């Protein structure tokens, strides 16, 4: 069970993180994250479980467009053309995290956690999960205007679901 994030996270998210780390340890998989709107919360959660945190290889907090380019190797033209919150960017983030790490599995999150520009959909989040030895899966979620904390918690839950499915598959 998570220690430092324990009072802030719902029990079901903590339990799902435990399960993901247990599966990763059993399969000897290393995990990486590439996070934008969650600001490193997934990485913090995956390093907060005693006895299993060694399954986490590294995390990238890439909140700005430039950070996505610098740290994950994304093409700035793709971000400008598709938007930072889009399927192509989420997929490129996950694949970039794999290229720039020793991980076997990488999960990316990019979205609008709170109100933004007039054409930004609050609660829109794109996820991608890339396996070094397989495919990259994408998921788009519309959590709605549930606040920054609500979107971030919902995003953590979805990200953990995707990691669990990839580890079982």
């Amino acid at each position: 069970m998570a220690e430092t994030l324990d009072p802030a996270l719902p029990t079901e998210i903590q339990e799902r993180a435990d399960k993901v780390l247990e599966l990763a340890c059993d399969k000897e998989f290393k995990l990486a994250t590439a996070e934008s709107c969650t600001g490193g919360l997934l990485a913090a959660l995956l390093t907060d479980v005693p006895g299993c945190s060694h399954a986490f290889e590294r995390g990238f907090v890439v909140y700005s467009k430039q950070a996505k380019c610098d740290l994950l190797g994304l093409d700035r033209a793709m971000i400008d053309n598709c938007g930072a919150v889009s399927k192509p960017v989420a997929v490129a983030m996950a694949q970039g995290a794999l290229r720039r790490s020793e991980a076997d599995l990488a999960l990316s999150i990019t979205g609008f956690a709170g109100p933004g520009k007039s054409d930004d959909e609050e609660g829109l989040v794109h996820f991608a999960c890339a396996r070094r030895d397989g495919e990259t899966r994408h998921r788009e979620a519309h959590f709605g205007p549930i606040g920054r904390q609500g979107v971030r918690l919902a995003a953590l839950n979805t990200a953990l679901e995707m990691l669990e499915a990839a580890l079982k598959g």
Side-chain angles (χ1 to χ4, degrees):
M1 166 122 1
E3 290 182 347
T4 58
L5 294 175
D6 183 30
L9 292 176
T11 304
E12 61 270 13
I13 291 177
Q14 292 179 33
E15 289 171 353
R16 181 161 273 143
D18 290 348
K19 179 73 171 176
V20 164
L21 287 168
E22 181 182 307
L23 286 167
C25 287
D26 288 349
K27 290 189 171 242
E28 298 183 2
F29 265 47
K30 296 288 184 187
L31 308 175
T33 59
E35 300 177 71
S36 184
C37 67
T38 49
L41 285 173
L42 181 59
L45 182 59
L46 293 174
T47 58
D48 205 32
V49 179
C52 290
S53 61
H54 64 277
F56 185 75
E57 205 275 326
R58 73 182 70 183
F60 301 89
V61 178
V62 289
Y63 200 71
S64 71
K65 292 176 183 178
Q66 193 59 46
K68 289 172 179 65
C69 298
D70 293 347
L71 297 176
L72 299 174
L74 273 65
D75 179 26
R76 181 61 185 251
M78 180 195 54
I79 296 172
D80 291 341
N81 292 334
C82 299
V85 179
S86 65
K87 178 181 179 176
V89 169
V91 168
M93 286 171 60
Q95 292 172 345
L98 278 184
R99 279 192 310 275
R100 305 258 170 123
S101 74
E102 298 295 319
D104 303 292
L105 191 62
L107 192 292
S108 68
I109 306 169
T110 183
F112 299 117
K117 299 175 190 167
S118 61
D119 57 342
D120 295 345
E121 178 190 337
E122 185 176 351
L124 170 63
V125 182
H126 286 268
F127 304 85
C129 188
R131 283 181 70 123
R132 189 166 300 280
D133 64 349
E135 66 182 325
T136 300
R137 295 193 175 158
H138 168 264
R139 187 179 299 178
E140 179 177 327
H142 301 267
F143 298 121
I146 58 175
R148 293 181 80 76
Q149 179 178 344
V151 170
R152 286 177 169 165
L153 289 175
L156 283 177
N157 194 52
T158 300
L160 291 167
E161 283 177 12
M162 291 181 73
L163 284 169
E164 185 176 349
L167 287 164
K168 286 180 175 178

